[in-house]
Amino acid sequence: MKSILNLTPAPVLLSEVAKGSPAKGTLSAKNILFEVVLEEGITSKPFLALYEKGIDQYDLSDKGKTIIHARSGIDNTYIFELKDQSGALYFSLLLTGYLMDVTVAREFHFEPGDRVRIKISKTDVPNIYDLDFSGLGSAKYRCQNEFLYAKETDMVKVLPEFANDNQHQAGNKPLRYTNLLYDLIEKYQPEMSDYSYHLLHADVLGSLGKYLYSDLQVKLHDQLYKKDLLGFEQLSKNFSDNYKFDFTRNIPDRVLSDSKEYALFMLEKIKTEVLMDFKTVDYHIVYERVKRIYNAVLKDKMIILLFNHYCARFNDNDGEILRDALVVVKNKKYRKILETFN
């Protein structure tokens, strides 16, 4: 696909810029500058993969993904300049590999105005690298990078997702991880824009919710397979009683629709609720409930994800859902994606 970016060589390095202190609030400039510095001995070259608003990193056909290569590298330093960016986007930073490329930063988000120096250092483990971020706008990158370390170093003994009586436990691992990540977001909040602060919350909430509802679906289907309707009802009730928290946490609608995790979480939530109500997942009902989402952009995105993930299960030989979706979806870009399902 045609690149959405204008890529030009940067005339200067970021070494001096990186010493500056990030300012709270959205950075005003529209351009983004990354200076990627490789430790001596790393011979792979870095490149970026950019994703369209968090939709297509789940799409194995790679629609909506743009690969960006640096124009030149001097002394193991590579410059990426992304010009005229209108808003935040997700990206991954990768190193070229002989057999396969290595992802060193997966699906971080940037904002217009970021001026960030990324130092990549080797570790004792092959294909595992330490990252150091500095410069204007770097707080959100440091925060996202610490997410991985927070999970890996959490040594607290945790309870299972379900006890023997199908009761959910408040101290289970997904909730513990979520609280750890919330603490990190609060730690970096003074250095981040309000947008990044909310987007990180939306991503963490979406990731938690997606895990919880997907896990619950597996256990509910297991009860149905065993023809244990009493266990099915007990599990459904216990989950509903124990997970009554607000998944939006006052996050602005625009941020919810931009999040790479939130739309898929909401889709899994609706699927699970249909399963609990009807003891089967009828995708006509799922689609009708998705249409009730009041956030128009989020609704359009969820419809795209519904088709990307589950169109083979629609049992919709006459194309009724697709015809209706082409009317319901207002976003032109999303409608073009829908047209590929004809």
Side-chain angles (χ1 to χ4, degrees), residues 303-322:
I303 290 173
I304 295 299
L305 288 170
L306 180 64
F307 275 84
N308 270 349
H309 288 267
Y310 300 113
C311 68
R313 307 182 193 180
F314 282 1
N315 191 24
D316 186 38
N317 295 330
D318 61 356
E320 175 189 352
I321 295 177
L322 178 58

Side-chain angles (χ1 to χ4, degrees), residues 62-77:
D62 284 342
K63 290 180 293 188
K65 183 168 78 173
T66 303
I67 300 299
I68 305 299
H69 296 280
R71 286 288 180 88
S72 62
I74 302 173
D75 296 330
N76 265 19
T77 297

Side-chain angles (χ1 to χ4, degrees), residues 44-315:
S44 301
K45 292 184 178 180
F47 65 95
L48 305 178
L50 272 63
Y51 306 97
E52 281 279 355
K53 291 298 181 187
I55 296 175
D56 296 300
Q57 74 271 32
Y58 301 111
D59 185 351
L60 296 181
S61 70
D62 284 342
K63 290 180 293 188
K65 183 168 78 173
T66 303
I67 300 299
I68 305 299
H69 296 280
R71 286 288 180 88
S72 62
I74 302 173
D75 296 330
N76 265 19
T77 297
Y78 296 82
I79 302 296
F80 298 86
E81 185 177 11
L82 315 180
K83 304 194 76 172
D84 299 323
Q85 297 302 295
S86 59
L89 279 180
Y90 291 94
F91 75 98
S92 293
L93 173 62
L94 301 94
L95 295 177
T96 56
Y98 178 69
L99 295 177
M100 61 184 300
D101 300 325
V102 178
T103 302
V104 294
R106 185 180 301 278
E107 295 168 13
F108 286 16
H109 78 268
F110 62 63
E111 291 178 280
D114 285 355
R115 305 286 187 271
V116 179
R117 188 174 192 257
I118 308 172
K119 184 177 179 181
I120 302 178
S121 303
K122 294 182 292 186
T123 68
D124 294 334
V125 182
N127 295 329
I128 300 296
Y129 298 89
D130 281 333
L131 302 179
D132 179 72
F133 298 90
S134 57
L136 297 173
S138 62
K140 58 182 168 290
Y141 303 98
R142 300 199 307 273
C143 183
Q144 292 171 93
N145 194 44
E146 283 194 40
F147 281 2
L148 299 175
Y149 293 100
K151 292 180 179 181
E152 291 171 358
T153 58
D154 177 26
M155 303 302 292
V156 176
K157 185 176 178 63
V158 295
L159 296 169
E161 268 71 66
F162 297 85
N164 292 331
D165 59 356
N166 283 334
Q167 293 285 342
H168 287 259
Q169 302 297 316
N172 67 34
K173 185 177 292 187
L175 291 181
R176 273 198 50 76
Y177 283 170
T178 299
N179 288 329
L180 287 171
L181 303 189
Y182 282 166
D183 289 343
L184 281 174
I185 295 171
E186 294 302 321
K187 171 185 171 182
Y188 285 101
Q189 186 270 340
E191 300 179 74
M192 288 193 292
S193 69
D194 291 337
Y195 178 89
S196 282
Y197 175 74
H198 287 306
L199 185 60
L200 289 174
H201 271 109
D203 286 348
V204 170
L205 280 170
S207 181
L208 167 68
K210 184 174 60 178
Y211 176 88
L212 290 176
Y213 281 99
S214 297
D215 187 63
L216 177 60
Q217 285 178 50
V218 171
K219 291 175 171 58
L220 288 172
H221 280 297
D222 184 59
Q223 298 293 330
L224 291 175
Y225 178 79
K226 295 186 293 187
K227 295 182 169 49
D228 185 358
L229 297 184
L230 180 62
F232 181 96
E233 297 294 345
Q234 182 183 24
L235 183 57
S236 299
K237 183 179 186 304
N238 288 336
F239 184 90
S240 300
D241 289 345
N242 284 280
Y243 284 94
K244 291 183 176 179
F245 53 88
D246 180 10
F247 276 97
T248 63
R249 290 178 62 93
N250 299 317
I251 299 171
D253 284 350
R254 178 202 166 194
V255 177
L256 294 178
S257 59
D258 283 353
S259 167
K260 67 186 175 73
E261 301 288 353
Y262 196 81
L264 190 55
F265 145 63
M266 285 294 294
L267 184 58
E268 293 306 312
K269 180 175 183 290
I270 289 174
K271 272 186 58 194
T272 306
E273 290 168 348
V274 169
L275 176 60
M276 289 192 290
D277 290 345
F278 298 97
K279 298 181 177 59
T280 187
V281 179
D282 184 322
Y283 284 93
H284 287 75
I285 299 174
V286 172
Y287 172 69
E288 289 299 323
R289 292 191 180 183
V290 170
K291 285 169 59 178
R292 299 176 193 170
I293 299 294
Y294 74 92
N295 182 332
V297 179
L298 180 63
K299 175 175 64 181
D300 286 358
K301 186 174 179 180
M302 288 173 63
I303 290 173
I304 295 299
L305 288 170
L306 180 64
F307 275 84
N308 270 349
H309 288 267
Y310 300 113
C311 68
R313 307 182 193 180
F314 282 1
N315 191 24

